[in-house]
Amino acid sequence: MDNKKTDLPAKKTEEEATTPSVEPTQSKPQKPTPSTHTAVHPSNSGKVWGLLLLLVIITALGAIGGIYLYQQLQAQQNATGQLEQKITTSMIQPNKKINQLTSEQAQLTQKLNQELIQFNQTQTELKQQVAQIAQRSPNTWRAEEALYLVRLAGRKLWLEHDPRTAASLLKAADERVESMMDPSLTPLRKALSKDISAVLSIKEADISGTALTLDDIIDSLNTLPLHRSEMSKTEQSDNDQMSNSVNDWQTNLAKSWHALIDDFVLIRKRTTDVAPLLAPNQQWYLIENIQNKLLQAQLSLYRQDQVNYRSSLALAKKWITQYFDLSNAKVADTITTLDALLTLKIETTQIKHFQSMKLLTQVVNYGNLLSEEPKS
């Protein structure tokens, strides 16, 4: 109770402090009445209006913010839709490419599978062939070796034009067949004997030696002397010599006169034409042309072309005889060598194939000769 009583005067003092001060019109002091506690003060209504105004402002700001956010959300949704449409449009071509690559990959996979199956089949066949080869007799290997020697002999004969080496290889192949000790291979040995006889009947020309001789002539052309226009000197006869006798003064005078005249005018008689001298550049062209013809003869020699070989050598000999000094020993030796080379006879090989090749192939493939006889 005491506390309540003490609180009332305090509230009064606060209310008095908040109310504006009004000067009293009367000098008499007023006494407080109980009705002052229930009256509405102007300060409380201001607070209420302030709160209402604040709520309105907050509501308006919230509405404005909501509208702004809604607009932003709509704009974002529109941008998102456009972006999705653009992405969808841009993904059409890559999707087509991916589908195409997927189809190509499927086709490639199918092709690789087919090739793998074929490779496995080939490998199986090779294994079977290897197994068959492993079961062969030693004679099969000797037949393989003989067939290789015959093929090598053909290469020596037709490509390198070496019948001597070709005959040696055929003889070695016959030795391999003989070592097989099989009487059923007698037709094969007869065919090899015919091939050896045909190769030995070829007249072998010394191709390598002739080519080296032509190389020597080509290298020595620069050292051969050319023709020189040398006029023969008149020999002074014994009649032109003056005597020491005084009585021969008339004769000596005539001889002196003729000697003086001969120093001014010289007359010589020739029965042949004088060849003009070659200029240095013409000499170089002459030597190059002769070397070219000798090289053509060398090439024709390797090709076994008898006509071009002899025509090239004949033209080279003609130029050497016409423009070089025939009195020189080197020039004479060169012409003699060319004459010897012109007599060389080149024979082409008439053998087109070896009769033993077909029979050896039968032995290698089937293990023996077939019943059909080879045609000679």
Side-chain angles (χ1 to χ4, degrees), residues 42-79:
S43 60
N44 292 332
S45 61
K47 289 181 179 181
V48 173
W49 287 108
L51 291 175
L52 290 175
L53 182 60
L54 181 61
L55 289 174
V56 171
I57 293 173
I58 292 173
T59 304
L61 291 176
I64 294 173
I67 293 171
Y68 177 76
L69 291 177
Y70 176 76
Q71 292 177 352
Q72 292 295 322
L73 182 60
Q74 287 295 114
Q76 187 175 3
Q77 288 179 353
N78 294 333

Side-chain angles (χ1 to χ4, degrees), residues 70-109:
Y70 176 76
Q71 292 177 352
Q72 292 295 322
L73 182 60
Q74 287 295 114
Q76 187 175 3
Q77 288 179 353
N78 294 333
T80 304
Q82 293 177 359
L83 182 60
E84 289 178 355
Q85 185 178 2
K86 186 182 294 185
I87 292 174
T88 304
T89 305
S90 62
M91 287 298 292
I92 293 175
Q93 188 67 23
N95 289 333
K96 291 182 180 179
K97 188 67 175 178
I98 291 172
N99 294 332
Q100 183 180 358
L101 291 175
T102 304
S103 177
E104 291 178 356
Q105 184 179 5
Q107 294 177 0
L108 181 61
T109 304

Side-chain angles (χ1 to χ4, degrees), residues 90-140:
S90 62
M91 287 298 292
I92 293 175
Q93 188 67 23
N95 289 333
K96 291 182 180 179
K97 188 67 175 178
I98 291 172
N99 294 332
Q100 183 180 358
L101 291 175
T102 304
S103 177
E104 291 178 356
Q105 184 179 5
Q107 294 177 0
L108 181 61
T109 304
Q110 184 179 2
K111 183 178 179 181
L112 290 176
N113 291 331
Q114 293 177 357
E115 291 180 355
L116 182 60
I117 294 172
Q118 185 177 2
F119 175 75
N120 292 331
Q121 293 176 355
T122 305
Q123 187 177 9
T124 304
E125 293 176 358
L126 289 176
K127 287 182 180 179
Q128 294 176 357
Q129 292 179 3
V130 170
Q132 293 177 359
I133 292 174
Q135 296 176 358
R136 290 184 178 180
S137 62
N139 287 340
T140 307

Side-chain angles (χ1 to χ4, degrees), residues 139-151:
N139 287 340
T140 307
W141 299 107
R142 293 189 181 97
E144 289 278 2
E145 187 176 359
L147 181 60
Y148 171 74
L149 291 172
V150 172
R151 288 174 178 171

Side-chain angles (χ1 to χ4, degrees), residues 293 296-297 300 305-317 342:
K293 287 300 177 182
Q296 289 180 4
S300 301
D305 188 355
Q306 180 80 33
V307 177
N308 290 329
Y309 169 75
R310 288 188 174 179
S311 62
S312 299
L313 284 183
L315 189 56
K317 176 187 174 183
L342 283 170

